[in-house]
Amino acid sequence: MNFEGKVAIVTGGAQGIGKAYTNALLNIGMKVCVCDILEEQVREFIESLPAAQRNNIVFQKCDVSSFEEFKNAFDKVISTFGRIDMLVNNAGIINEKNFQKMIEVNFHGVVYGTHLAFEHMSIEKGGQGGYIVNTASEAGLDPSHLVPVYCATKHAVVGLTKSLGHEYHFKKTGIKVNAVCPGPIETDLYRTFPGKTIDAEEAKKFLSLRTTIKPEGVGKALLKLLEEEKNGALLRVDIDGLRYA
């Protein structure tokens, strides 16, 4: 499949997994709109890119828990690049102490983005079809006692992915919906994890038993889903490599 010149939105693309996704897509010739609330980090990231790739990336400040801000991001992509072929719903937070915001970002944001992507890409609406890739988590597949609400949001993302990744929806829309389910990844989210759980000391012990991988491994997982033309698939990625759940 040739993705040269196709256009993606990546939420939470300023750092960590989102940055790895963005690099992976730029490297296969795609154009990317990075949506994030971290303006300075995005600008530094864009400035670090090779000159040729800087022409293929734009930034839109966006809190995905706001439908209006998310809609503005889609509008910017259409006005800048003239099309949208892929949405990567990656923005996410862990904060059991502010679980309302976590639900808004981790689940409502994914629903908002998915709704907008279907509006723009569905063949029923005059679009060309496309791809939605959600960042779920191993916590979307297994219980996670230290972050129960976070775990619930990721289970919700898994349920949404599998439901919309059904052949029924693909035949109507031409859109494939998949999710990447990372284990421990070397990111700020992981480094600050203990303080965002229901028990910081227990979380520190838990992390001492885990082995992380670099965000680039998740970027490879994204490309694998695209190359293998999956739909409704859940791809785990951790120290044991890539495998479908």
Side-chain angles (χ1 to χ4, degrees), residues 115-129 172-173 175:
H115 173 83
L116 288 162
F118 269 76
E119 283 291 314
H120 284 82
M121 297 192 298
S122 174
I123 55 178
E124 281 192 312
K125 305 286 178 76
Q128 304 296 312
K172 290 177 68 176
T173 67
I175 298 170

Coordinates of all heavy atoms in Angstrom, one line a residue, residues 115-129 172-173 175:
H115 N -15.9 10.2 15.4 CA -17.1 10.8 14.8 C -16.7 11.7 13.6 O -17.3 11.6 12.5 CB -18.0 11.5 15.8 CG -19.1 12.3 15.2 ND1 -20.3 11.7 14.9 CD2 -19.2 13.6 14.9 CE1 -21.2 12.6 14.4 NE2 -20.5 13.8 14.4
L116 N -15.8 12.6 13.9 CA -15.3 13.6 12.9 C -14.6 12.9 11.7 O -14.8 13.2 10.6 CB -14.4 14.6 13.6 CG -15.0 15.6 14.5 CD1 -14.0 16.2 15.4 CD2 -15.8 16.6 13.7
A117 N -13.9 11.8 12.0 CA -13.2 11.1 11.0 C -14.2 10.4 10.1 O -14.0 10.4 8.8 CB -12.2 10.1 11.6
F118 N -15.2 9.8 10.6 CA -16.2 9.2 9.8 C -17.0 10.2 8.9 O -17.3 9.9 7.8 CB -17.2 8.4 10.7 CG -16.8 7.0 10.9 CD1 -15.8 6.6 11.8 CD2 -17.5 5.9 10.3 CE1 -15.5 5.3 12.0 CE2 -17.1 4.6 10.5 CZ -16.1 4.3 11.4
E119 N -17.2 11.4 9.5 CA -17.9 12.5 8.7 C -17.0 12.9 7.5 O -17.6 13.1 6.4 CB -18.1 13.7 9.6 CG -19.3 13.6 10.6 CD -20.6 13.6 9.8 OE1 -20.8 14.4 9.0 OE2 -21.4 12.7 10.2
H120 N -15.7 12.9 7.7 CA -14.8 13.4 6.6 C -14.4 12.3 5.7 O -14.1 12.6 4.5 CB -13.6 14.1 7.2 CG -13.9 15.4 7.7 ND1 -14.4 15.7 9.0 CD2 -13.7 16.7 7.2 CE1 -14.5 17.0 9.2 NE2 -14.1 17.6 8.1
M121 N -14.2 11.1 6.1 CA -13.6 10.0 5.3 C -14.6 9.0 4.7 O -14.3 8.3 3.8 CB -12.5 9.3 6.1 CG -11.4 10.1 6.6 SD -10.0 9.2 7.3 CE -10.7 8.3 8.7
S122 N -15.8 8.9 5.3 CA -16.7 7.8 4.9 C -17.1 8.0 3.4 O -17.4 9.1 3.0 CB -17.9 7.8 5.8 OG -18.9 6.9 5.3
I123 N -17.1 6.8 2.7 CA -17.6 6.9 1.3 C -19.1 7.2 1.3 O -19.5 7.7 0.2 CB -17.3 5.5 0.6 CG1 -17.9 4.3 1.4 CG2 -15.8 5.3 0.4 CD1 -17.7 3.0 0.7
E124 N -19.8 7.0 2.3 CA -21.2 7.4 2.4 C -21.4 8.9 2.4 O -22.4 9.4 2.0 CB -21.9 6.8 3.7 CG -22.2 5.4 3.7 CD -23.1 5.1 4.9 OE1 -22.8 5.4 6.0 OE2 -24.2 4.4 4.6
K125 N -20.3 9.6 2.8 CA -20.4 11.1 2.9 C -19.6 11.7 1.8 O -19.2 12.9 1.9 CB -19.9 11.5 4.3 CG -20.6 10.9 5.5 CD -22.0 11.5 5.7 CE -22.7 10.8 6.8 NZ -22.3 11.3 8.1
G126 N -19.2 10.9 0.8 CA -18.4 11.5 -0.3 C -16.9 11.4 -0.1 O -16.2 12.0 -0.9
G127 N -16.5 10.8 1.0 CA -15.0 10.6 1.2 C -14.4 9.4 0.5 O -15.1 8.8 -0.3
Q128 N -13.1 9.2 0.8 CA -12.4 8.2 0.1 C -12.1 6.9 0.9 O -11.4 6.1 0.6 CB -11.0 8.7 -0.4 CG -11.1 10.0 -1.2 CD -11.8 9.7 -2.5 OE1 -11.5 8.8 -3.2 NE2 -12.7 10.6 -2.9
G129 N -12.8 6.9 2.1 CA -12.4 5.9 3.1 C -11.2 6.2 3.8 O -10.7 7.4 3.7
K172 N -19.9 0.0 4.6 CA -20.6 1.3 4.5 C -19.7 2.5 4.3 O -20.0 3.4 3.6 CB -21.5 1.5 5.7 CG -22.7 0.5 5.8 CD -23.5 0.8 7.1 CE -24.2 2.1 7.1 NZ -25.0 2.3 8.3
T173 N -18.6 2.4 5.0 CA -17.7 3.6 5.1 C -16.4 3.6 4.4 O -15.8 4.6 4.1 CB -17.4 3.9 6.6 OG1 -16.6 2.9 7.2 CG2 -18.7 4.0 7.4
I175 N -13.8 2.6 5.9 CA -12.8 3.0 7.0 C -12.4 1.8 7.8 O -13.3 1.1 8.3 CB -13.4 4.1 7.9 CG1 -13.7 5.4 7.1 CG2 -12.5 4.4 9.1 CD1 -14.5 6.4 7.8

